[in-house]
């Protein structure tokens, strides 16, 4: 926790922000949308911007001295404070832009002390508005799933121990070099795993690792807003989050690779050099 704010207070606001933004994204889902490109294979929609504005408004109302690291650039937001809010208004924007209903909202409160690593995430909320599933966690607290008739079910990563029985998530990166590395990993593990799944949302895939739906997830090119909230979910549910060599994951805005798994499979998922 910070000097004046508890993790429970941070989680309450993260939860409120994620739900409100998700409701907006769901309301706009079937409507015509404005789409623009941020780079190769990287798009943003009007819904991303609307959802992000909702998130930041909710947070600023509660914590006007906190800082932000959002996916969508906003020069009006301060970037420093005792807590840094790392937010992705719609993780899975390509899916969203094509009316594929697999995406989520990600909100994480992080203790703002360098280096910024996943072990400094204090509270997290990930909301899948199309399934009405809210994943939440706070440092030192439970990892819960609400929605779809559930009332705070405690999450636990899967008990799968054998790579041959594993269901592994893996998405192809945007850029050529990390995409090639992902293809090489598929070649490395393709005959070992039970099956690969490509969801198109790193955050949701990691939340599914926390829920035991996937046994692991690997991505060679992510940003902090893809990982921060989901990393806390996985660790609080008994799983592991690391960089691609198995070390502590730093939330570097320049990008990084990440692997997550239950408690058993991490040694099998590390890419060969």
């Amino acid at each position: 926790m910070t000097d004046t704010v508890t993790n429970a207070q941070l989680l309450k606001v993260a939860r409120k922000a994620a739900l409100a933004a998700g409701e907006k994204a769901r309301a706009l889902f079937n409507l015509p949308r404005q789409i623009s490109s941020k780079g190769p294979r990287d798009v943003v929609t009007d819904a991303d911007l609307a959802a992000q504005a909702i998130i930041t408004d909710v947070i600023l109302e509660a914590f006007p001295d906190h800082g932000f690291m959002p996916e969508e650039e906003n020069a009006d937001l301060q970037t420093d404070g005792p807590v840094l809010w790392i937010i992705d208004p719609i993780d899975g924007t390509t899916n969203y832009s094509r009316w594929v209903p697999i995406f989520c909202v990600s909100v994480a409160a992080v203790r703002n002390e360098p280096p910024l690593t996943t072990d400094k995430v204090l509270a997290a909320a990930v909301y899948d508005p199309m399934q009405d599933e809210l994943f939440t966690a706070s440092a030192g607290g439970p990892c819960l799933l609400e929605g779809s008739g559930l009332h705070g079910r405690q999450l636990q990563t899967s008990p799968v121990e054998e790579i041959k029985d594993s269901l592994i998530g893996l998405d192809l990166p945007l850029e050529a070099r990390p995409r090639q590395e992902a293809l090489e990993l598929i070649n490395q593990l393709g005959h070992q795993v039970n099956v690969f799944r490509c969801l198109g949302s790193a955050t949701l895939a990691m939340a599914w690792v926390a829920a035991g739906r996937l046994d692991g997830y690997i991505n060679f090119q992510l940003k902090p807003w893809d990982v921060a909230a989901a990393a806390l979910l996985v660790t609080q549910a008994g799983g592991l989050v690391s960089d691609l060599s198995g070390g502590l994951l730093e939330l570097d805005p320049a990008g990084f690779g990440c692997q997550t798994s239950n408690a058993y499979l991490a040694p099998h998922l590390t890419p060969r050099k």
Side-chain angles (χ1 to χ4, degrees):
M1 67 177 68
T2 67
D3 291 339
T4 58
V5 180
T6 67
N7 292 347
Q9 290 171 320
L10 293 170
L11 180 57
K12 182 178 180 180
V13 172
R15 184 181 183 279
K16 179 180 179 181
L19 286 170
E23 290 171 4
K24 183 66 171 180
R26 183 173 58 232
L28 296 175
F29 180 70
N30 286 312
L31 301 178
R33 67 278 317 270
Q34 299 174 8
I35 304 172
S36 57
S37 175
K38 297 188 291 183
R41 302 187 175 114
D42 195 8
V43 299
V44 60
T45 73
D46 52 339
D48 291 84
L49 302 177
Q52 180 166 294
I54 290 172
I55 295 170
T56 55
D57 285 349
V58 169
I59 294 169
L60 286 171
E61 182 179 5
F63 306 117
D65 62 329
H66 288 186
F68 293 88
M69 184 189 292
E71 179 179 15
E72 311 308 336
E73 293 184 6
N74 184 344
D76 294 332
L77 295 174
Q78 59 190 25
T79 58
D80 197 16
V83 171
L84 194 63
W85 290 84
I86 302 181
I87 57 179
D88 194 337
I90 298 179
D91 185 69
T93 297
T94 297
N95 284 351
Y96 189 92
S97 71
R98 298 291 297 270
W99 294 279
V100 176
I102 302 175
F103 60 91
C104 64
V105 179
S106 178
V107 181
V110 184
R111 185 170 64 251
N112 193 13
E113 297 175 358
L116 207 62
T117 48
T118 51
D119 62 339
K120 293 186 172 71
V121 183
L122 303 173
V126 172
Y127 183 47
D128 176 351
M130 305 308 283
Q131 297 298 321
D132 189 28
E133 291 189 334
L134 176 67
F135 304 81
T136 62
S138 59
C143 179
L144 302 176
L145 173 58
E146 306 172 42
S148 298
L150 302 172
H151 300 283
R153 178 168 68 89
Q154 174 75 47
L155 295 185
Q156 181 69 39
T157 54
S158 78
V160 172
E161 298 185 31
E162 300 290 337
I163 188 70
K164 66 180 178 61
D165 300 321
S166 65
L167 184 61
I168 303 299
L170 186 148
D171 287 303
L172 293 179
L174 304 181
E175 297 177 3
R177 181 173 179 178
R179 178 169 286 214
Q180 180 60 38
E181 291 173 327
L183 293 171
E184 291 170 2
L185 183 70
I186 293 173
N187 186 58
Q188 172 188 329
L189 296 179
H191 293 293
Q192 299 179 40
V193 304
N194 182 4
V195 70
F196 283 116
R197 286 286 179 263
C198 299
L199 299 186
S201 168
T203 304
L204 192 58
M206 291 176 66
W208 284 14
V209 173
R213 297 172 182 174
L214 293 174
D215 305 308
Y217 178 75
I218 309 168
N219 198 310
F220 285 76
Q221 186 182 25
L222 293 173
K223 294 294 181 74
W225 41 84
D226 300 313
V227 170
L232 184 61
L233 298 178
V234 172
T235 55
Q236 293 303 107
L240 303 172
V241 178
S242 72
D243 63 22
L244 294 176
S245 63
L248 182 62
L249 184 63
E250 185 169 348
L251 298 169
D252 183 352
F256 49 84
C258 172
Q259 66 179 40
T260 67
S261 72
N262 64 16
Y264 306 103
L265 294 177
H268 300 282
L269 302 182
T270 302
R272 288 197 297 258
K273 297 297 184 182

